[in-house]
Amino acid sequence: MRNNPLIRTLLFVVVLLTLDQTIGFALRTLYNQTFDGDVAGVVNQALANRNADVIVFGSSRACHHIASPELGKSLNKRVFNAGIDGYSVIYARALQSELLRRGTRAKLFLLQVDGDDLFALGKERLALVTPLAAKNAEVLALLEAWDPYVRVKLLFATYPFNSKVLSILSNWRRPPAPDQWVALPPHAGQPLVAKAVETPKDATTRPVNAARVQAIRDFIASARAADIRVFLFSGPRLHTGAPTALTRRGWELLATLAEGEGVTFKPLDQDSHPEFKQATLYRDAFHLDGEGARLFTSLVAQELAKP
């Protein structure tokens, strides 16, 4: 019987599945105790701070542009910045879904989204929220939209922690930073010079990323159901001339969407606020440095104070 190929194959599969479940359980236990690190801890850190009065969502242009301590002082509220480098509104929607599922006392969600974000194509970065899919059907649906085989992959207990093991082990039980706000240092080297940005040739015909638009709608609807105010905003960039046709088209879509959903959208760019045309306020053409971020944060606070 030991030499039966079928029996040996079955035993091998049983051993592999047992190892998978054992290692997966251990990794999830460690992951749940990890609150630091851009790979393993960033989601848990946000979930642990879900009762902040104000929570900021968005990409690097949120986590480096909204100085949460300054915004908290201006609003006299506790602010948590959950923005993260390189992730879109799809990630923001997934994170928001889990915050709401677990319960939050937040009263205001800030969502950073740029006009041209609505036309970006390609696969979304969602690996950070994979561990949430086991208990969150909305997160699972977002993952499945990009990977039709994700339900099968999630049968393996170790799958949600692919590419996270080293980060988990190095950051396990390490004290986290207050939030994702990081003041970027001033630009080093040759002074930055504003340059013209060429309008894409397909600016008027490029298809809208329907998944991102729906994510924004769902973000607003879910917040409304929880009686949480939503404020949509975009930020400045360092370039000469007016915003590109693609950016303006995106702003128009966002303004129409926001009006229809009964929320505010503010494109706070360098043309509407010329002080952000100063190159000395930038780390690079797309990101403000610490001084620029504090100035931008004060502008956001002023907008939030308006009735």
Side-chain angles (χ1 to χ4, degrees):
M1 182 175 256
R2 289 181 181 177
N3 294 325
N4 188 313
L6 179 60
I7 297 298
R8 284 189 295 178
T9 300
L10 289 175
L11 287 173
F12 179 72
V13 170
V14 169
V15 170
L16 283 182
L17 292 176
T18 301
L19 283 173
D20 171 73
Q21 293 297 313
T22 302
I23 296 172
F25 176 80
L27 287 174
R28 185 169 289 277
T29 300
L30 294 176
Y31 173 82
N32 290 338
Q33 298 173 3
T34 303
F35 298 91
D36 195 42
D38 289 340
V39 175
V42 62
V43 171
N44 285 336
Q45 183 191 24
L47 296 175
N49 287 275
R50 64 186 181 275
N51 289 322
D53 302 301
V54 181
I55 301 178
V56 182
F57 298 82
S59 67
S60 60
R61 288 164 52 74
C63 66
H64 298 306
H65 284 189
I66 299 295
S68 40
E70 280 74 11
L71 185 60
K73 291 177 184 177
S74 297
L75 301 179
N76 194 26
K77 303 286 185 183
R78 183 181 168 222
V79 177
F80 181 82
N81 192 329
I84 183 170
D85 293 350
Y87 283 76
S88 77
V89 292
I90 305 285
Y91 167 83
R93 168 61 188 134
L95 178 60
Q96 182 219 33
S97 175
E98 184 64 12
L99 290 174
L100 294 174
R101 189 187 73 83
R102 297 193 185 195
T104 175
R105 291 195 289 270
K107 293 301 178 185
L108 173 62
F109 286 162
L110 273 61
L111 177 61
Q112 171 268 329
V113 56
D114 292 315
D116 44 7
D117 287 347
L118 300 186
F119 306 97
L121 302 176
K123 190 172 182 179
E124 295 285 350
R125 299 178 64 188
L126 291 172
L128 292 183
V129 297
T130 305
L132 307 177
K135 295 183 178 180
N136 190 315
E138 291 179 333
V139 172
L140 178 58
L142 289 170
L143 291 171
E144 203 166 23
W146 300 100
D147 183 357
Y149 303 106
V150 71
R151 287 178 184 267
V152 176
K153 295 176 181 178
L154 287 170
L155 293 175
F156 297 93
T158 54
Y159 173 73
F161 310 104
N162 285 353
S163 75
K164 301 180 183 67
V165 175
L166 291 179
S167 182
I168 291 172
L169 295 177
S170 61
N171 292 292
W172 177 56
R173 289 195 170 180
R174 180 179 173 182
D179 65 4
Q180 292 301 305
W181 151 245
V182 176
L184 294 176
H187 177 74
Q190 294 294 323
L192 282 174
V193 177
K195 298 180 180 179
V197 177
E198 184 177 348
T199 295
K201 294 181 179 179
D202 63 344
T204 59
T205 59
R206 185 178 298 183
V208 174
N209 187 321
R212 290 190 175 185
V213 173
Q214 188 60 50
I216 297 171
R217 292 189 186 279
D218 292 342
F219 187 100
I220 296 170
S222 297
R224 183 189 298 116
D227 196 27
I228 299 172
R229 177 189 173 193
V230 172
F231 179 83
L232 305 178
F233 70 96
S234 61
R237 299 180 183 184
L238 182 62
H239 62 71
T240 60
T244 68
L246 191 66
T247 296
R248 293 197 303 272
R249 185 178 162 211
W251 285 350
E252 290 171 1
L253 287 171
L254 286 167
T256 300
L257 186 156
E259 183 179 8
E261 298 290 343
V263 301
T264 300
F265 167 64
K266 286 289 183 179
L268 306 173
D269 73 319
Q270 65 282 356
D271 289 309
S272 60
H273 297 82
E275 60 268 35
F276 291 105
K277 292 184 177 181
Q278 301 177 60
T280 54
L281 295 176
Y282 289 82
R283 167 65 178 179
D284 56 47
F286 298 97
H287 299 96
L288 298 164
D289 65 10
E291 180 185 355
R294 292 181 179 89
L295 180 61
F296 182 73
T297 299
S298 67
L299 175 61
V300 171
Q302 293 171 27
E303 292 292 338
L304 291 173
K306 294 179 180 179

